[in-house]
Amino acid sequence: VNTSDALARIAAIVGPAGVIAPRDAQPLLRDQRELFRGEAALVVRPASTAECAEVLAVCHAAGLGVVPQGGNTGYCGGATPFDAGRQVLLSLTRMHRIREIDPLGFTMTVEAGVVLAAAQRAAEEAGLLFPLSMGSEGSCQIGGNLSTNAGGLAVLRYGTARDLVLGIEVVLPSGGVLSELKGLRKDNAGYDLRALFLGAEGTLGVITAAVLKLLPRPQVYETAWLAVAGPQAACELVARARRETGDQVSSAEYVSRRSLDLVLERLPEARDPLDVAHEHYLLLEIAATGDPSLVRSRFETVLQAAFEAGEVRDAAIADSGTQRAALWLLRERIPEAERRDGGSIKHDIAVRIGRIPELIERAEAELAPLGAHRLSFYGHIGDGNLHFNLLPPVGVALEAFRERTGGALTRRVYDLTAELGGSFSAEHGVGILKRDELEHYKSPEALRLMRAVKAALDPRGIMNPGKVVG
Ligand code: 2HG
Ligand code: ZN
């Protein structure tokens, strides 16, 4: 099949409503951080799994690459195509049906293009909770969440995207459809095939639908913005709060003063809830069911004990939804504050939670001699996941900073993380950005198996070429 015939066939499969004209396709051809900009032979939005399957069959026959894309909110360029003549961008946005909610089974079957916030709302309307939650939830999509195994703000309690899936439907590179949407809690019949596609960043197939786990909806949230003595105190406090609440901690987010300062400086609506400045903060939230005053008093008891133990130095507890939102703003909008400041070099790293204090202390000390920079570190401390971001010194552009010292700084951050037994990619994946890091830090055995899986599932190498190990 020659390329232009193949492209004409694909256009016919999706119909006029499914083809995105070049002038409208521009935002889809670059990632949201504008690290990568690509080209595509065609940009399509199929309306159904059947259309996706037909498109892939044609691409397979013609040897055209397929780049699946959801909300395009990724951090590593995993959804950006780059080969103008040979890649088809497959946007899942039109596949946004909630196929089913099963209140007895606590599941929801959704299509890949359902926006995360819409999935959360659908669960809520059924009186239930879909707990995946992150800053980009208003635009990221379930298919992308699953393909990157997204993390976010409630992993400590509910796990990553992978943990919230009972089954998936996947269009395979040859155009076949693997349908595992039974929604069973128990099914040990053979290998766990869905595990291959979750976190594969579209390099093995296109996730088109999923059965998601739902949970009972918590009735009461307690949220506190805490000045803590340091990272060690923050870790001790998270463990204390987990033990003493029967594991009701839903979020435990660390914020360094430097990240808070960026937010206070760059977002006019942000206010420091405490009277004096501190170096370290923890945003701690519990989600519970039962008498609100009992939940509050248990929360206060935990904080009181932490205060007496010297872990907490000052606290602001939210007394309303508005106050809760004001506290969350200070954490959730750090990425935006960094962007408004001119952008940052980002390191999404993970170690065992007990090693977080050493990671922070050593990173600060070991980066200092490598070149001027400003730090902004914060993140999901309850999961051992930090966003250890570096901003250029005042007056230096991000691009120049990246070129001059970025490489050495990044190498030190990742080497240190590896020395502490950690990962260079906790929740943002690999995409294009971290391909070399994967090569560098993964064991030869792991790389060999990843390549074997890739070759077995996508022998012609059409799925998301150039990403992860492809
Ligand atoms: C977050 O936790 C996101 O806010 C983005 O994962 C992190 O921008 C970042 O570095
Ligand atoms: Zn994060």
Side-chain angles (χ1 to χ4, degrees), residues 272-289:
D272 187 340
L274 302 178
D275 294 332
V276 294
H278 296 263
E279 273 305 297
H280 309 276
Y281 299 93
L282 185 72
L283 178 60
L284 186 69
E285 185 160 279
I286 64 171
T289 294

Side-chain angles (χ1 to χ4, degrees), residues 184-201:
L184 303 178
R185 296 277 164 175
K186 305 179 86 168
D187 185 2
N188 282 353
Y191 297 151
D192 183 0
L193 296 174
R194 81 204 144 145
L196 291 173
F197 299 93
L198 302 171
E201 302 184 42

Side-chain angles (χ1 to χ4, degrees), residues 51-126:
E51 283 185 16
C52 276
E54 282 184 64
V55 169
L56 261 70
V58 174
C59 289
H60 191 252
L64 286 171
V66 177
V67 182
Q69 189 181 90
N72 198 20
T73 60
Y75 269 75
C76 298
T80 309
F82 46 79
D83 188 343
R86 307 295 305 162
Q87 297 182 2
V88 173
L89 181 80
L90 190 84
S91 164
L92 278 303
T93 30
R94 262 170 98 206
M95 294 186 56
H96 53 67
R97 262 189 335 124
I98 310 264
R99 289 189 190 165
E100 188 203 358
I101 292 184
D102 172 3
L104 289 185
F106 286 78
T107 66
M108 168 165 74
T109 306
V110 303
E111 293 183 345
V114 171
V115 169
L116 175 53
Q120 293 167 343
R121 267 196 309 276
E124 186 175 349
E125 279 157 20

Side-chain angles (χ1 to χ4, degrees), residues 11 37 77 120 137 139-140 208 260 295 323 328 338 412 417 440:
R37 190 178 289 273
Q120 293 167 343
E137 63 198 23
S139 45
C140 65
T208 46
L260 178 63
V295 175
Q323 286 180 9
W328 267 108
E338 287 180 5
R412 186 80 295 264
T417 305
H440 190 80

Side-chain angles (χ1 to χ4, degrees), residues 367-413:
L367 292 182
L370 297 180
H373 57 271
R374 288 177 293 149
L375 292 171
S376 167
F377 55 97
Y378 59 96
H380 321 290
I381 196 172
D383 315 325
N385 175 192
L386 270 192
H387 296 305
F388 202 89
N389 298 342
L390 309 177
L391 290 81
V394 176
V396 176
L398 180 62
E399 221 27 69
F401 175 55
R402 228 187 237 129
E403 268 160 37
R404 240 176 277 155
T405 39
L409 292 166
T410 290
R411 184 55 59 224
R412 186 80 295 264
V413 172

